[in-house]
Amino acid sequence: MQRKVRDNKAWFLVLPVFILVAFSAIVPIMTVVNYSVQDIFDQNTAYFVGAEWYREMLRNPALLDSLGRQFFFSFSVLAIEVPLGILIALVMPTKGRMAAVSLILVAIPLLIPWNVVGTIWQIFSRADIGLFGYAVNAVGIDYNYTSDPTAAWLTVLLMDVWHWTPLIALLCYSGLRAIPEAFYQAARIDRASKWAIFRHIQLPRLKSVLVIGVLLRFMDSFMIYTEPFVLTGGGPGNSTTFLSQALTQMAIGQFDIGPAAAFSLIYYLIVLLVCYAFFTAINQLDKAK
Amino acid sequence: MDYSLRKKLGLALYIVFLFIPIYWLVIMSFKGTEEILGGLTLWPQSFTFDNYHTIFTDSTWYMGYVNSMIYVSMNMAITLVVALPAAYAFSRYRFIGDSHLFFWLLSNRMAPPAVFLLPFFQLYSSVGLFDTHIAVALAHCLFTVPLAVWILEGFMSGVPREVDETAYIDGYSFPKFFLRIFLPMIRSGIGVTAFFCFMFSWVELLFARTLTSVDAKPIAAIMTRTVGAAGIDWGLLAAAGVLTIIPGILVIWFVRNHVAKGFALGRV
Amino acid sequence: MAEIRLKSLAHSYKSKPTSPNDYAIREMNHVWHQGGAYALLGPSGCGKSTLLNIISGLLSPSNGEVLFDGKKVNDIPPEERNIAQVFQFPVVYDSMTVFDNLAFPLRNMKMSEDKVHSRVIEIAAVLELSDLLKNKAKNLTADEKQKVSMGRGLVRSDVSAILFDEPLTVIDPHLKWKLRRKLKQIHEQFNITMVYVTHDQLEASTFADKIAVMYGGQIVQFGTPRELFEKPNHAFVGYFIGSPGMNLIKAKKCKGGLMFNNTLVQLNPEMQVLLDPITTSNIKIGIRPEFVHVWDDKAEGAFECDVLHTEDLGTYKIITMKLDGEVLKVRIHEDRIVPTKKAYISFPEQWLKVYVDEYLVDIDEPEDEVKETI
């Protein structure tokens, strides 16, 4: 880490970013806050209702259900993608032609539009026209994600693993590449086992990229919308209706914009809080050492 | 088994896992509707380009691709222009609120899109930007700018301060130093950042769909047209999907050296 | 404890080397005796780190053998060679404490925890790390980290040699001296073979009993610091060692000695006989700046030179002169009067060296090197 100069004039350099992001962020947030405390009938008729929507939303079983589902889903996603991503990063070649080739191949799922990811898995998993769905049924497992809630949930999870593990893998790969060769050489001379090398050389160096990776994956999986919407439409039943979709149904489908806004803010605060807690915890841990 | 062989095998299996679904999409796009619904075939029995023909002859289809590419390019340009100075500030200076600012930038990514889309729509309509490419590009900046600042800051911290100081002593002004000396030194960083901007802007659907209706409608939104009264036209849907993957492959191919170098520096 | 012998060793990073230039290490034979303190000195890119990595086993040589106490170790991986290596940049395990860092190689050997403890305490005391044992290695200064790196080599009682790859590069100058002394002290205490790679002649001569000078993938001379200074075996050694380096002037054979431009340098008859059969045109006259004799006045047999300029370096002065178109450096004691404009110099016979195809033409046969032949 370099020595930094204290100079508040640096704000001038940050100003364009600040203005740009503020334009796209602050006005919409204020609008949502505004919605959340009013009962809106049409453009000209709205009543101030205070915290009413918040109270109501915190008692709404459908939303609390989807919140629970959401946490469970995000947790599952992280539990699978983080170790798998690290593992992939460890087996990717670091030198030569194959390094660039495998980098490109692994990155491809990240470059596919999210709705197309949904489409791909829809085409792939359907029991009638999909290779995967057909194959699973062929080995004797009854699998139909359009009618079986468990199958649907697992398919969404598998899709997310397919789609996003590459992000963790690439981040970890970059972290691993930053380790100087001398560390591995010293470890060999110290007779470190493969596990000891991973535990004491590779893992500590992966920490900073993993923090960002976990944060991004938590945020994005917590707000997942497009892919399950295309794949399952939230069903069967409510089994794959995650928070974003529940809110969209409420806001656009039933046009209950006030309650939806209130819940959006609660939702936003949850994500913010979890990320902030995680961020601070990591920083504290760093300082403690 | 030999350790390095096991590694290669593991990687090969993973890549197969990544590519089977894509393979299925690709061969589906060369099949006719009857073959798709008629039964499972691992290879198109009657190879057809009809689906692609439809897309390339219908302007509402192919304009979707053009629209997407326009706003993605705009987004990359805007993101880089604003993120470069900001990243420089973060890498070189301490200033009031610097640590909070970054978290705030990142926090905008955490807003659930479902409800925030409506005010977005209202905001861009009220300033007369609805259904323009620039509206989508600006909205996507909310996602790309924080990441761009973070990546560029990493690259810039790798350039020693002495470089800046030497340049000032040699009589360079800040803009001249920044453009002539500093930017070429972090070329790879810019390549990697552009790649990540593309990665987010190209794949996003919700904002792009909400902020456009006709003139700037992205391909991802047009794809929903394949659901007709007679059910889904799978072949056409698959072909459109294949065509959305190709730009991504081209982009990563062009920036592969920068990305590899960026990854090698461990600053992604 | 071991003697390290390199037998017809050569290494190329290319898979199919065609010319000698493809080799990072050209074929060489060399012996590092048990318990010696050696330096491997040479400019960057001369192959010294490559040679070190071959000895430790991190690199497998393309030709030849590495023998430890007469046993071939080419196929033995570094972890089983009982060798410690300290790298240019300190390698510490960030997440562990200093104690755990030092204990790491021992624990990997499954040594019992009390033995580990006593050994670590002992080594920490030697390296003056005792107060830091409980600290995280991450927060140490560069020199402390480097001491920890060295310590990981020293804790192992089974190590037969410790290899240092420019270990003081990142250390502050005033600490360099201290660490170097520490190393020397450890060497005396533990009687371990040490090979120290550096490009700094001062570092090499203060650390080592014997220095191997490497140039172009070969060890061009192996000797004590004094031998390297007084009798450089290769023109490069003359040029590289000493400050300033040896004066080297291209010359031609002629009757009575060697000739450059219009100046005749007389040689004794013995030398003339040795030069007689030589056909190459690459002949150089070499003389160290310290050994050029400066006359106070015009003298018989002395060459007349133009004085170009003088640098006063405190205890001595360096005069740059021009002799018949060739530039020479001459080093004289501070008390001597510096000649102005013209100077009269001669080359004492015992310090005048002749290099043919870069190698010294030596009168006192047999050479030292012959004794070392395997």
Side-chain angles (χ1 to χ4, degrees), chain A:
Chain A
M1 200 40 92
Q2 299 195 35
R3 163 185 59 95
K4 289 184 187 174
V5 180
R6 179 165 278 285
D7 186 352
N8 286 328
K9 281 205 284 288
W11 258 101
F12 285 112
L13 296 170
V14 189
L15 209 58
V17 163
F18 185 78
I19 292 170
L20 182 77
V21 175
F23 173 74
S24 301
I26 291 178
V27 177
I29 283 213
M30 293 326 291
T31 318
V32 173
V33 170
N34 198 26
Y35 288 156
S36 74
V37 292
Q38 297 188 61
D39 194 356
I40 300 164
F41 291 100
D42 60 52
Q43 280 204 320
N44 302 314
T45 331
Y47 298 101
F48 182 76
V49 295
E52 179 57 32
W53 296 136
Y54 290 90
R55 270 195 294 272
E56 192 174 303
M57 282 305 101
L58 287 172
R59 273 183 256 123
N60 182 326
L63 283 178
L64 292 179
D65 266 8
S66 61
L67 184 65
R69 247 195 314 276
Q70 189 65 66
F71 266 114
F72 184 58
F73 180 73
S74 289
F75 179 78
S76 313
V77 158
L78 287 175
I80 298 174
E81 289 176 10
V82 171
L84 185 63
I86 294 174
L87 208 68
I88 309 275
L90 287 173
V91 299
M92 277 168 72
T94 50
K95 282 192 265 285
R97 239 191 133 65
M98 280 316 288
V101 172
S102 58
L103 199 70
I104 292 172
L105 292 180
V106 170
I108 282 176
L110 297 173
L111 295 162
I112 301 175
W114 295 347
N115 64 316
V116 178
V117 171
T119 303
I120 288 176
W121 279 84
Q122 191 182 19
I123 290 176
F124 188 57
S125 311
R126 279 177 66 116
D128 52 350
I129 63 166
L131 182 62
F132 177 65
Y134 190 87
V136 173
N137 279 302
V139 296
I141 301 164
D142 193 25
Y143 167 83
N144 187 345
Y145 77 84
T146 52
S147 62
D148 176 13
T150 316
W153 194 87
L154 286 174
T155 310
V156 173
L157 184 67
L158 185 64
M159 172 174 70
D160 200 83
V161 168
W162 180 86
H163 189 186
W164 287 111
T165 306
L167 183 71
I168 303 281
L170 292 188
L171 286 170
C172 291
Y173 180 69
S174 88
L176 289 175
R177 288 280 297 260
I179 300 174
E181 190 59 27
F183 276 76
Y184 294 112
Q185 296 180 334
R188 285 194 74 180
I189 284 165
D190 290 341
R191 305 183 191 190
S193 62
K194 291 246 151 46
W195 167 249
I197 290 176
F198 176 70
R199 174 67 193 79
H200 298 296
I201 297 178
Q202 293 172 323
L203 200 57
R205 291 280 174 132
L206 286 181
K207 211 180 68 193
S208 62
V209 286
L210 277 178
V211 168
I212 286 288
V214 168
L215 271 179
L216 285 177
R217 278 317 298 132
F218 173 73
M219 283 188 241
D220 290 345
S221 69
F222 210 74
M223 297 188 302
I224 188 167
Y225 177 79
T226 314
E227 302 96 313
F229 181 73
V230 173
L231 181 64
T232 63
N238 276 329
S239 61
T240 55
T241 304
F242 297 112
L243 261 183
S244 280
Q245 204 182 332
L247 281 171
T248 312
Q249 275 166 11
M250 188 189 280
I252 293 157
Q254 304 155 20
F255 218 77
D256 281 336
I257 193 87
F263 201 79
S264 283
L265 287 173
I266 296 171
Y267 181 2
Y268 185 31
L269 280 179
I270 293 172
V271 182
L272 216 58
L273 224 69
V274 171
C275 291
Y276 191 75
F278 184 68
F279 214 68
T280 329
I282 292 291
N283 281 339
Q284 288 297 318
L285 218 69
D286 256 5
K287 272 184 209 139
K289 284 172 187 173

Side-chain angles (χ1 to χ4, degrees), chain C residues 54-266:
Chain C
I54 287 175
I55 296 172
S56 64
L58 293 170
L59 213 59
S60 178
S62 17
N63 304 97
E65 292 176 0
V66 181
L67 303 149
F68 286 6
D69 284 334
K71 189 169 153 265
K72 186 178 164 190
V73 293
N74 281 37
D75 301 323
I76 298 179
E79 49 272 36
E80 286 161 35
R81 282 195 190 185
N82 297 334
I83 280 242
Q85 189 167 356
V86 178
F87 297 89
Q88 190 168 5
F89 297 98
V91 174
V92 293
Y93 304 107
D94 285 346
S95 55
M96 299 188 215
T97 62
V98 171
F99 183 95
D100 290 336
N101 258 279
L102 293 175
F104 189 62
L106 301 179
R107 287 177 179 157
N108 287 333
M109 289 159 69
K110 309 261 183 293
M111 188 184 266
S112 74
E113 208 47 35
D114 354 319
K115 272 200 194 153
V116 169
H117 191 81
S118 62
R119 189 74 193 157
V120 169
I121 298 292
E122 182 189 344
I123 294 301
V126 173
L127 289 168
E128 293 164 16
L129 287 171
S130 304
D131 298 337
L132 298 169
L133 282 175
K134 289 201 175 69
N135 292 28
K136 281 269 177 202
K138 194 180 173 181
N139 306 326
L140 300 178
T141 60
D143 61 301
E144 286 163 349
K145 282 186 181 176
Q146 197 59 298
K147 281 204 276 189
V148 172
S149 306
M150 289 176 193
R152 282 207 317 276
L154 291 169
V155 280
R156 286 164 48 183
S157 47
D158 64 334
V159 290
S160 35
I162 305 185
L163 311 175
F164 297 91
D165 192 354
E166 310 206 19
L168 303 181
T169 311
V170 291
I171 310 296
D172 283 347
H174 70 284
L175 289 167
K176 267 187 188 179
W177 174 82
K178 247 182 100 177
L179 270 180
R180 210 157 49 219
R181 257 184 51 130
K182 193 95 240 167
L183 277 183
K184 188 97 186 142
Q185 203 183 327
I186 290 166
H187 176 251
E188 281 154 15
Q189 194 174 342
F190 292 92
N191 188 32
I192 300 176
T193 314
M194 288 186 176
V195 181
Y196 186 106
V197 162
T198 175
H199 59 259
D200 181 339
Q201 51 169 311
L202 186 78
E203 231 172 88
S205 49
T206 47
F207 171 80
D209 308 331
K210 266 184 127 180
I211 299 173
V213 182
M214 255 188 114
Y215 176 65
Q218 276 173 307
I219 292 180
V220 288
Q221 188 168 8
F222 183 49
T224 61
R226 190 190 167 102
E227 281 166 355
L228 297 184
F229 183 74
E230 291 184 349
K231 207 174 138 198
N233 214 359
H234 187 276
F236 175 77
V237 179
Y239 158 81
F240 194 68
I241 308 254
S243 133
M246 188 179 240
N247 295 304
L248 291 161
I249 303 168
K250 265 190 95 84
K252 285 193 297 274
K253 267 199 300 184
C254 69
K255 201 169 177 306
L258 291 168
M259 185 97 164
F260 63 92
N261 302 331
N262 294 314
T263 307
L264 173 77
V265 180
Q266 282 186 332

Side-chain angles (χ1 to χ4, degrees), chain B residues 218-238:
Chain B
I219 181 61
I222 291 170
M223 281 176 73
T224 50
R225 291 193 344 164
T226 53
V227 187
I232 301 172
D233 186 345
W234 294 111
L236 192 59
L237 185 65

Side-chain angles (χ1 to χ4, degrees), chain B residues 73-262:
Chain B
S73 322
M74 282 177 164
N75 170 266
M76 284 202 240
I78 297 170
T79 304
L80 282 174
V81 167
V82 299
L84 279 166
Y88 183 79
F90 278 112
S91 79
R92 293 294 191 258
Y93 301 106
R94 295 192 55 80
F95 47 93
I96 293 175
D98 53 356
S99 55
H100 300 289
L101 186 64
F102 184 73
F103 192 78
W104 175 71
L105 285 178
L106 206 63
S107 74
N108 290 304
R109 286 187 46 113
M110 304 171 198
V115 173
F116 282 76
L117 284 173
L118 195 63
F120 254 90
F121 169 76
Q122 293 176 331
L123 173 68
Y124 283 93
S125 301
S126 68
V127 292
L129 287 176
F130 178 70
D131 203 18
T132 57
H133 300 106
I134 192 85
V136 183
L138 283 175
H140 281 175
C141 280
L142 209 53
F143 295 80
T144 53
V145 163
L147 210 63
V149 170
W150 180 62
I151 295 172
L152 288 170
E153 198 261 345
F155 276 90
M156 288 177 179
S157 301
V159 178
R161 277 198 80 85
E162 285 70 28
V163 172
D164 310 27
E165 280 154 14
T166 314
Y168 295 141
I169 290 166
D170 291 349
Y172 279 87
S173 63
F174 175 73
K176 213 168 148 194
F177 151 75
F178 199 74
L179 294 174
R180 294 258 191 86
I181 299 177
F182 199 68
L183 289 193
M185 292 183 81
I186 54 158
R187 255 197 326 263
S188 291
I190 294 173
V192 172
T193 311
F195 166 72
F196 272 80
C197 288
F198 175 88
M199 205 177 98
F200 277 91
S201 187
W202 178 257
V203 299
E204 205 279 337
L205 172 68
L206 283 178
F207 282 92
R209 198 176 62 185
T210 310
L211 297 176
T212 57
S213 65
V214 182
D215 294 340
K217 197 169 186 176
I219 181 61
I222 291 170
M223 281 176 73
T224 50
R225 291 193 344 164
T226 53
V227 187
I232 301 172
D233 186 345
W234 294 111
L236 192 59
L237 185 65
V242 170
L243 290 176
T244 63
I245 300 177
I246 291 170
I249 296 176
L250 289 180
V251 166
I252 195 168
W253 179 256
F254 283 122
V255 298
R256 69 185 186 283
N257 290 329
H258 288 310
V259 172
K261 213 167 149 192

